[in-house]
Amino acid sequence: MSKNRKNKSKKTGQKLSARQLRDEILKLFKRNPKKLLNPKQISRKLKIANNTDSVQDALEKLAEHKDIRPAGDYKFKLSQDASGGDRRDAKYYEGLVDMTRSGDAYIVCEGLENDVHISARFLHTAMNGDKVKIRVWTPPGRRKPEGEVEAVLERARDHFIGTLWRYPKHAVVTIDLVPPIDVEVDISGQPSASDEDRVVVRIDEWPESHRHNPKGTVTTVLGKAGSSDIEMKTILVNNGFDLEFPEDVMREAEYLPARISQEEISRRLDIRGVTTFTVDPEDAKDFDDALSIRDLENGEVEIGVHIADVTHYVKEGTPLDKEALSRSTSVYLVDRVLPMLPERLSNDLCSLRPNVDRLAFSAIFVFNKNMKIVNRWFGKTVIHSDQRFTYEQAQERLDGKGGAFAEEVQRLGKIARHLRKQRYKNGAINFETDEVKFRLDADGAPVEVYVKERKEAHMLIEDFMLLANREVASFISMKGRMEEIPYVYRIHDEPDPDKVMELSRFAREMGFDMNVSSPESIAREYNRLARETEKRPELKLLSPLAIRTMSKAAYSSENIGHYGLGFSHYTHFTSPIRRYSDVLAHRLLERNLGSENVYRTNKAYLEEQCKHISKKERNAITAERESIKYKQVEYIEKHIGEEFDGFISGIMDRGFFVELKGLIEGMVPFETLDEPFDVADSRLRMTGVYSKKEYKMGQQVRVRIARADLAKRQIEMEWVREEAVPANGGAKAGRSRSGRRKR
């Protein structure tokens, strides 16, 4: 008998039990320690009756026990541990899942130069945004690492949007992912749920193997697909926000007392007699800040920044508090607000409404005649707002048109202008960008799109909020100068040098030279750009590019200052109704008021909270942008065939983008044009191959709306060119070329 025959399995031709199968597979790998084998190859070599699914299960179990390890392309290899090798060869990391459209993913890990690629097969149940533990290896002959998810440490979300499919004895919800996931659900408690309804499903049980379906519960039935309302809800859920508050949270909110006790008032500074008012958008319902002003006997003026005292109602560790941390922020879509707190708090108990007593956490400043701060005080107060102004009403007072409290508003405006001037003098950057707004009809459909006008009244409120945020952060930092007091800082790092150089080259192409030799000069140049756009509207295209050179502002317990504002210390203190960061800031500030009080929270845990809040803020920004894009496409649907003037806002190999007056952006595909175009390497200009006509970023063009795809949120335009393009025999129309093609 040959040596090879002796090594073959004695179980040849049999159907093995799960345990026997694992043993035989492991023996096979140990006989071939350097081979990569997939399920089909293993079945063929062992000559067993088990199907490939059984072999795959056995392989996954062996991989879980580190006997073998995945090696990509559905193949496995004997691990170093099982073959008696060095255990140090096994490398494990933690990171966040960043999924691609194909279903594969990259894991972003601290400490690794390259992101780790993981094929869809080795993600197991991990999904986009999840925090995972992974095993990493570098396949022979390759430089970039591959990996497999070992465990999901933290789920990014557990609620998803999907389509319900009812069957005689069961039901599933197909989640809109790549690849789609079927969730087994019990809909006995959802009698109104119909086949093909869009629903929100909560995943309650994840399977150990990716080949089994998770189990879940339908929490909300949205109805048939296609309506704007369902699309907005889909945007919220897909970005990780729950549409409803849990029952225990709503119950806690409803039982909170509305009456302010005399005992509570006695513990606070009572300033109900001081002139106080709010300034907010016309449609606002949650008023979380107010301003007060009064003259002091020595000729100085006292200005109070009063913030809703959310922490009086939201106690640490309660269901209400845990839910607020989980959400971390209110989300503002075009046609709705998803609040961080139940409406009982956000629109009632905490809202600084006019003509009612309210509890506040106040920052009070005394200014001398030269508008310099000579004193400051932080503490709990009880206030009474005398007037609720819209921004338009406050602006009328600033414009000298009179009205109630006109003198007080004008005096506040004067001090605000001084604060603003000082801020820009100290290096703050003017990040004024166009904000797109919509006028909606009764059904929520957009009937007008316009750029929000930013007036001095908006800046007045902003200036005093910035002042309070800066001074609170400075107070905590100074108090902890000998031994740090952990706190929530709003930080903003210096811009990325490579991105700044790219912007500078781009700006030069548009006739705007920039000095970017230092962080200080960059700030000055960005402000000069903001002023220049008033004269040259096409330069507005540079503003979003300038913002992209910047690091993302975030929350952190490590203070590095705020580059964009020019502040060495900055926090968020002024919006606790809609930001959990401010709730944390209030709690930590209160515990450190008074010369004898010093409170130091666990900094590591605080940093975890900061990272979570920053992540939820990014999710909210994404949701807001998606809702704007949806409404833009919904609006332009009614204008198919109409012509508009716009600026070239981007150039790529497939075509160029056109922005219509800062409101709506669409694409003109090269394939729709009557000649091909060469695109410069810089992507800042393009040249007609036959006409030799050159077009640059920022150049004005006229376009016609060709198509609007709501599902993809894409707008296609046609270029309306006045000049005729010379004919060229034998040319193939509709072909585009890149400037990087081989010549």
Side-chain angles (χ1 to χ4, degrees):
M1 189 178 286
S2 71
K3 182 178 178 181
N4 287 340
R5 179 68 178 167
K6 285 181 181 178
N7 285 338
K8 281 193 177 180
S9 169
K10 296 178 182 178
K11 310 294 183 181
T12 298
Q14 296 181 24
K15 185 172 182 179
L16 308 182
S17 69
R19 179 59 184 269
Q20 288 174 326
L21 182 58
R22 289 198 298 272
D23 290 344
E24 291 303 317
I25 290 174
L26 185 56
K27 288 176 186 177
L28 176 63
F29 274 108
K30 287 185 175 180
R31 291 196 301 270
N32 303 275
K34 294 184 178 180
K35 279 200 172 184
L36 305 176
L37 300 172
N38 64 30
K40 286 186 178 180
Q41 292 169 326
I42 291 168
S43 296
R44 192 165 56 246
K45 285 179 178 292
L46 292 179
K47 294 186 177 181
I48 51 177
N50 302 68
N51 60 33
T52 52
D53 285 344
S54 299
V55 175
Q56 178 66 34
D57 273 336
L59 288 167
E60 290 177 357
K61 284 285 189 295
L62 289 169
E64 286 177 13
H65 290 90
K66 310 297 184 293
D67 295 316
I68 61 174
R69 63 179 176 84
D73 198 24
Y74 306 105
K75 294 181 179 180
F76 290 79
K77 183 181 181 181
L78 189 69
S79 71
Q80 288 286 344
D81 298 351
S83 60
D86 191 344
R87 291 183 63 88
R88 290 174 296 179
D89 185 62
K91 296 180 180 178
Y92 297 90
Y93 294 91
E94 293 181 6
L96 297 178
V97 178
D98 183 10
M99 290 190 73
T100 67
R101 291 182 180 180
S102 68
D104 287 7
Y106 289 88
I107 311 300
V108 184
C109 304
E110 289 186 15
L112 281 183
E113 182 179 352
N114 294 311
D115 295 343
V116 180
H117 174 261
I118 295 186
S119 69
R121 190 174 187 83
F122 298 128
L123 277 171
H124 302 306
T125 65
M127 304 180 74
N128 192 51
D130 288 351
K131 183 179 181 181
V132 294
K133 178 182 179 182
I134 60 172
R135 177 177 177 131
V136 180
W137 67 90
T138 302
R142 298 185 191 175
R143 296 176 58 189
K144 294 187 177 180
E146 297 277 330
E148 179 184 25
V149 171
E150 291 282 316
V152 177
L153 304 177
E154 183 181 327
R155 294 283 178 187
R157 50 193 278 224
D158 57 8
H159 285 73
F160 300 86
I161 292 280
T163 302
L164 177 68
W165 303 99
R166 300 187 69 138
Y167 299 94
K169 295 184 179 181
H170 72 288
V172 298
V173 174
T174 301
I175 299 177
D176 310 330
L177 295 171
V178 180
I181 293 178
D182 285 340
V183 182
E184 297 176 15
V185 294
D186 177 6
I187 56 171
S188 57
Q190 296 281 359
S192 62
S194 301
D195 199 42
E196 296 189 52
D197 271 352
R198 300 288 285 169
V199 299
V200 180
V201 61
R202 181 187 68 238
I203 295 183
D204 303 316
E205 183 181 330
W206 293 90
E208 291 185 9
S209 169
H210 69 285
R211 294 191 301 110
H212 298 287
N213 290 334
K215 295 180 180 179
T217 303
V218 172
T219 61
T220 309
V221 178
L222 302 176
K224 300 302 178 187
S227 73
S228 174
D229 178 61
I230 289 179
E231 290 301 321
M232 294 297 111
K233 289 175 179 176
T234 299
I235 287 171
L236 291 167
V237 174
N238 284 347
N239 282 284
F241 294 99
D242 295 340
L243 301 179
E244 307 291 340
F245 287 94
E247 288 184 12
D248 58 344
V249 172
M250 294 300 292
R251 192 162 47 246
E252 182 183 348
E254 289 305 316
Y255 279 111
L256 290 170
R259 179 178 169 275
I260 302 174
S261 69
Q262 193 59 44
E263 181 183 4
E264 182 60 38
I265 291 174
S266 67
R267 287 196 285 262
R268 296 168 176 261
L269 178 65
D270 189 345
I271 52 175
R272 287 177 288 181
V274 179
T275 299
T276 304
F277 45 80
T278 61
V279 183
D280 291 278
E282 186 174 2
D283 57 353
K285 295 178 181 177
D286 56 336
F287 312 135
D288 53 9
D289 57 79
L291 296 177
S292 69
I293 181 169
R294 69 172 167 181
D295 293 315
L296 304 180
E297 292 181 358
N298 60 3
E300 295 171 340
V301 61
E302 176 192 274
I303 294 176
V305 179
H306 309 291
I307 309 302
D309 189 5
V310 170
T311 58
H312 174 78
Y313 298 99
V314 181
K315 300 300 183 184
E316 194 169 0
T318 62
L320 192 52
D321 179 55
K322 291 176 182 177
E323 180 69 13
L325 172 59
S326 175
R327 292 173 178 253
S328 288
T329 179
S330 295
V331 190
Y332 294 84
L333 303 190
V334 170
D335 63 347
R336 70 197 64 200
V337 178
L338 185 69
M340 182 182 79
L341 298 172
E343 287 190 8
R344 176 92 202 288
L345 287 120
S346 60
N347 293 357
D348 184 8
L349 299 182
C350 295
S351 185
L352 306 183
R353 297 189 299 180
N355 305 314
V356 291
D357 295 346
R358 283 291 183 257
L359 302 179
F361 203 151
S362 301
I364 299 176
F365 306 97
V366 176
F367 290 81
N368 64 17
K369 293 180 180 179
N370 295 320
M371 292 183 283
K372 181 180 179 180
I373 297 174
V374 294
N375 199 6
R376 68 182 181 189
W377 178 90
F378 306 111
K380 295 293 186 84
T381 59
V382 56
I383 69 168
H384 186 99
S385 174
D386 300 290
Q387 181 83 32
R388 183 255 159 143
F389 290 121
T390 65
Y391 281 114
E392 291 74 19
Q393 291 168 337
Q395 188 62 45
E396 289 175 358
R397 277 114 181 118
L398 290 170
D399 291 340
K401 296 180 180 178
F405 303 107
E407 181 186 350
E408 288 86 346
V409 173
Q410 288 179 359
R411 292 173 66 194
L412 285 169
K414 183 178 179 181
I415 295 174
R417 284 190 290 274
H418 174 75
L419 293 172
R420 199 178 314 140
K421 182 179 179 181
Q422 291 297 115
R423 191 167 74 251
Y424 289 130
K425 183 179 179 181
N426 293 332
I429 300 173
N430 180 5
F431 278 133
E432 295 292 334
T433 57
D434 289 341
E435 182 179 348
V436 177
K437 302 291 286 184
F438 297 85
R439 187 165 63 83
L440 308 175
D441 64 17
D443 297 322
V447 294
E448 181 186 3
V449 56
Y450 59 94
V451 173
K452 176 183 175 181
E453 187 177 6
R454 185 167 159 79
K455 296 187 175 182
E456 189 180 354
H458 296 88
M459 293 183 278
L460 181 155
I461 298 301
E462 181 179 276
D463 290 326
F464 284 109
M465 298 305 117
L466 291 173
L467 171 66
N469 289 333
R470 183 192 72 191
E471 292 297 309
V472 166
S474 298
F475 169 81
I476 288 289
S477 182
M478 287 297 293
K479 188 162 188 174
R481 63 185 181 277
M482 301 302 292
E483 183 181 352
E484 181 189 14
I485 297 174
Y487 201 62
V488 181
Y489 293 99
R490 181 69 168 175
I491 61 170
H492 186 223
D493 208 347
E494 293 178 355
D496 182 295
D498 293 336
K499 291 181 180 179
V500 171
M501 291 305 298
E502 186 178 345
L503 171 68
S504 176
R505 289 192 294 271
F506 190 5
R508 193 177 301 116
E509 289 272 354
M510 296 184 69
F512 186 82
D513 287 324
M514 300 178 68
N515 173 12
V516 293
S517 57
S518 68
E520 294 75 21
S521 64
I522 292 170
R524 288 194 296 270
E525 291 299 275
Y526 283 4
N527 286 334
R528 185 169 70 88
L529 172 62
R531 294 191 297 271
E532 194 68 19
T533 56
E534 299 296 322
K535 307 171 192 172
R536 298 174 56 192
E538 70 273 14
L539 290 179
K540 285 187 177 181
L541 295 172
L542 294 174
S543 295
L545 297 178
I547 292 173
R548 284 176 208 159
T549 67
M550 293 292 182
S551 302
K552 295 284 190 296
Y555 298 102
S556 178
S557 59
E558 294 289 348
N559 180 39
I560 63 168
H562 197 294
Y563 173 78
L565 292 173
F567 292 159
S568 59
H569 301 85
Y570 190 64
T571 189
H572 271 172
F573 168 81
T574 52
S575 294
I577 289 178
R578 61 184 179 91
R579 294 188 305 225
Y580 194 81
S581 57
D582 305 50
V583 174
L584 287 177
H586 280 212
R587 286 182 183 144
L588 294 173
L589 175 61
E590 182 183 10
R591 290 169 180 171
N592 282 285
L593 292 177
S595 57
E596 303 300 319
N597 294 332
V598 177
Y599 174 79
R600 293 182 174 88
T601 191
N602 182 296
K603 187 175 180 180
Y605 178 59
L606 182 63
E607 182 63 23
E608 284 182 21
Q609 291 178 304
C610 287
K611 286 182 178 178
H612 171 76
I613 297 167
S614 296
K615 178 183 174 184
K616 298 299 285 189
E617 178 190 40
R618 291 192 295 271
N619 290 352
I621 291 171
T622 300
E624 179 184 358
R625 287 174 179 165
E626 288 178 4
S627 79
I628 291 172
K629 188 64 179 177
Y630 183 89
K631 290 297 181 184
Q632 286 173 324
V633 179
E634 190 179 13
Y635 170 79
I636 212 69
E637 267 190 324
K638 303 166 187 172
H639 298 275
I640 303 294
E642 296 182 25
E643 295 183 6
F644 298 89
D645 290 323
F647 295 105
I648 297 176
S649 57
I651 303 173
M652 57 189 299
D653 289 340
R654 293 191 300 110
F656 62 95
F657 291 94
V658 175
E659 187 177 286
L660 310 181
K661 298 181 180 179
L663 299 172
I664 292 173
E665 188 177 64
M667 185 183 190
V668 178
F670 282 137
E671 64 184 20
T672 64
L673 304 183
D674 48 11
E675 72 168 324
F677 274 77
D678 277 340
V679 176
D681 288 340
S682 64
R683 296 181 182 266
L684 300 177
R685 60 184 70 233
M686 59 186 193
T687 306
V689 171
Y690 312 135
S691 65
K692 303 303 180 185
K693 181 79 174 178
E694 184 181 79
Y695 297 88
K696 299 190 298 182
M697 284 281 287
Q699 187 165 336
Q700 184 168 326
V701 292
R702 190 163 182 82
V703 293
R704 182 184 300 111
I705 307 301
R707 273 173 226 61
D709 189 331
L710 262 179
K712 295 181 179 179
R713 293 168 202 163
Q714 293 176 350
I715 299 169
E716 186 176 310
M717 300 174 175
E718 296 172 346
W719 193 3
V720 181
R721 287 206 283 173
E722 295 178 1
E723 73 278 1
V725 178
N728 191 326
K732 183 179 179 180
R735 182 166 55 91
S736 65
R737 301 184 191 176
S738 166
R740 289 180 294 281
R741 72 191 191 286
K742 292 181 180 179
R743 295 183 181 274

